[in-house]
Amino acid sequence: MTLTFSTQTDFATPLYLIENESDALAALPQAAQDWAAANGFTGGLGQSLAVPSTSGKIDMALVGLGTAAARKRKRFGAVAARGKLPEGVYQLASTHEDAITQEFALGWLLEGYRFDRYAKQSTPKAQLIAPNGVDAARLEAIAAGELTTRDLINTPAEDMGPDELELAVRKLAEAHGAEISTILGKALLDQNFPMVHAVGRAATRAPRLIDMRWGDEGPTLTLVGKGVCFDTGGLNLKPGASMGLMKKDMGGAATVLGLAQMIMALGLKLRLRVLIPAVENAVAGNAFRPGDILTSRKGLTVEINNTDAEGRLVLADALALADAEKPDLIVSMATLTGAARVAVGPDLSPFYATKTADADALRKGAQSSADPVWEMPFWDPYEAMIEPGIADLDNAPKGGFAGSITAALFLKRFVTDSPRYMHFDIYGWNPTAAPGRPKGGVGMGARALLDALPEMLEL
């Protein structure tokens, strides 16, 4: 599957985006106005209408933009029309603000996504020529990266374990001329990644740390993605209802890989490193236990009070490795806590930043990319909550308060030498179908970060 614009330029059908309760309809030919009135087309968000000529062929297509208030409530809402339009190639004929055109064009591409690995899926037949004023190659690269993320998350763990996740990284590295290395199984202990090994040692598929590098000039960016390919909860076994979506617990890894693909495809002038601790948190006689105290790569000891808080453990060792190089910016992405979902729901990407300027740049990037984020605090007064006394750190503080914040504070303890750190506590899943975002795996925060990187790293 590819998400691209049509390259056909002849015989395209004009497509007009019509705002609800605007004068745009009145500017159309009288026959089109009459047809719209007869069919109840008002420009409501996501409405579509094919307008025939006197010969019965499609003369033009109308798509509803709704009102500004409606668009705020449903991003990409207009592209719901794509699946309703007849097969053909369309070309935007109306003029709008750049932000509206940009969101419509990107949403149109994303609306074409279907996860069809296991069953055939019907796809929209309507195609769009890239609108004037948009960077078609950039939007296609973004859509391709998002496709990668969605496919990786949607694939069940039987076919997306640590082995398959590594293979996906290798294919991505080969496609873009990146270098890749992997530390596998017992070698994790030999090379001082004890927490990655501890979390993954009970699974039949060996744990590993995947390390990809790309670029030889510019500032340094390290992306760290949680790659827990399935999370049973370990000996603190999840109930069945909570385990049902745990194929998505590698959503952080999938999202950083999608972002890395965008960066490499667009040729950003930076030096990129991607670190993915890839494990399966399984149940067996050699599983790590509640009450165990693990010594991390950083030398900090961690008391295990819940084996279902495993993501921060594998990320901690990877962050310690990243921190040793002191890159200009470290970003971690993880489906880390249910507390983040309670705080902001499934649609927003909570993030933490050590520098206010980075947070400001990200908010601007979120606006321009239709990829909403929400800043959460590295709240120093809560540091005591992750200090159990018997060890340096507690992986699952008791009390049930501020779970996303305490997890972020835990991770921050492993980034001590690098100047800037950002952490995303994402969901990685769209629970109900929406325009441009079918139910299932979804990238969160990657587009916002991509748009913010030029300001953050002065590219």
Side-chain angles (χ1 to χ4, degrees), residues 43-393:
L45 189 62
Q47 277 190 313
S48 69
L49 183 67
V51 180
S53 66
T54 54
S55 65
K57 295 181 179 179
I58 298 175
D59 189 46
M60 67 177 70
L62 309 181
V63 169
L65 268 180
T67 62
R71 292 194 295 275
K72 282 185 177 180
R73 295 186 62 166
K74 182 177 285 188
R75 58 192 161 117
F76 300 131
V79 303
R82 182 179 179 185
K84 307 170 192 174
L85 290 171
E87 183 174 0
V89 176
Y90 296 83
Q91 184 166 25
L92 192 60
S94 50
T95 303
H96 303 274
E97 297 174 11
D98 290 346
I100 290 176
T101 303
Q102 178 92 359
E103 181 174 329
F104 180 75
L106 176 59
W108 182 282
L109 294 179
L110 297 179
E111 178 67 11
Y113 174 81
R114 299 290 185 275
F115 183 61
D116 57 4
R117 177 167 176 172
Y118 300 97
K120 288 185 178 181
Q121 305 287 337
S122 61
T123 57
K125 302 302 181 185
Q127 302 296 316
L128 183 71
I129 296 171
N132 292 332
V134 305
D135 186 337
R138 178 180 176 83
L139 292 187
E140 288 177 342
I142 290 171
E146 174 68 16
L147 185 152
T148 293
T149 295
R150 293 180 183 186
D151 276 355
L152 289 172
I153 296 174
N154 284 328
T155 303
E158 178 71 14
D159 294 324
M160 188 50 64
D163 294 333
E164 291 82 5
L165 185 55
E166 178 186 340
L167 179 60
V169 183
R170 290 191 176 279
K171 288 181 177 178
L172 186 62
E174 182 179 359
H176 295 279
E179 299 176 353
I180 184 172
S181 62
T182 303
I183 302 170
L184 181 68
K186 186 178 179 298
L188 290 166
L189 295 176
D190 299 335
Q191 298 188 46
N192 194 23
F193 296 95
M195 294 206 295
V196 178
H197 183 271
V199 172
R201 71 192 183 199
T204 56
R205 295 181 282 190
R208 67 206 66 201
L209 182 73
I210 305 166
D211 189 346
M212 183 178 77
R213 294 178 183 267
W214 174 87
D216 54 13
E217 60 178 310
T220 48
L221 169 66
T222 298
L223 305 176
V224 182
K226 174 186 170 184
V228 178
C229 295
F230 194 83
D231 181 19
T232 65
L235 294 180
N236 290 113
L237 193 69
K238 292 177 182 289
S242 299
M243 210 183 300
L245 277 182
M246 283 302 100
K247 68 176 183 179
K248 78 171 185 66
D249 212 22
M250 39 66 71
T255 303
V256 299
L257 287 174
L259 175 57
Q261 180 175 333
M262 297 174 200
I263 289 170
M264 294 186 293
L266 293 171
L268 297 192
K269 299 299 182 184
L270 54 79
R271 287 170 286 167
L272 174 66
R273 188 181 193 186
V274 177
L275 295 171
I276 295 175
V279 303
E280 184 174 353
N281 188 19
V283 178
N286 64 337
F288 75 120
R289 297 161 291 264
D292 283 352
I293 295 178
L294 306 179
T295 301
S296 68
R297 179 180 182 84
K298 198 82 166 179
L300 296 170
T301 55
V302 180
E303 182 182 16
I304 305 303
N305 279 310
N306 192 320
T307 61
D308 197 19
E310 84 299 329
R312 66 201 70 185
L313 303 177
V314 299
L315 286 171
D317 274 355
L319 285 169
L321 176 64
D323 189 49
E325 283 195 349
K326 302 178 184 179
D328 294 305
L329 177 63
I330 296 176
V331 178
S332 58
M333 288 189 164
T335 52
L336 204 62
T337 71
R341 307 287 69 76
V342 173
V344 300
D347 205 33
L348 286 165
S349 301
F351 76 94
Y352 300 79
T354 57
K355 298 295 183 183
T356 301
D358 290 337
D360 291 342
L362 186 71
R363 275 187 285 268
K364 286 190 284 185
Q367 283 289 109
S368 61
S369 62
D371 189 13
V373 300
W374 194 263
E375 186 176 10
M376 301 278 279
F378 281 123
W379 190 243
D380 291 341
Y382 291 166
E383 289 279 4
M385 295 169 66
I386 60 172
E387 297 168 346
I390 192 174
D392 294 317
L393 295 170

Side-chain angles (χ1 to χ4, degrees), residues 384-449:
M385 295 169 66
I386 60 172
E387 297 168 346
I390 192 174
D392 294 317
L393 295 170
D394 183 340
N395 86 315
K398 295 178 176 62
F401 291 134
S404 181
I405 296 174
T406 54
L409 290 172
F410 181 99
L411 295 178
K412 186 168 170 279
R413 292 288 188 98
F414 296 86
V415 182
T416 57
D417 298 325
S418 301
R420 296 144 71 197
Y421 172 51
M422 301 185 79
H423 165 61
F424 290 76
D425 192 346
I426 63 174
Y427 191 43
W429 190 262
N430 196 38
T432 56
R437 296 174 299 137
K439 181 178 179 179
V442 67
M444 299 180 69
R447 297 196 308 272
L449 190 55

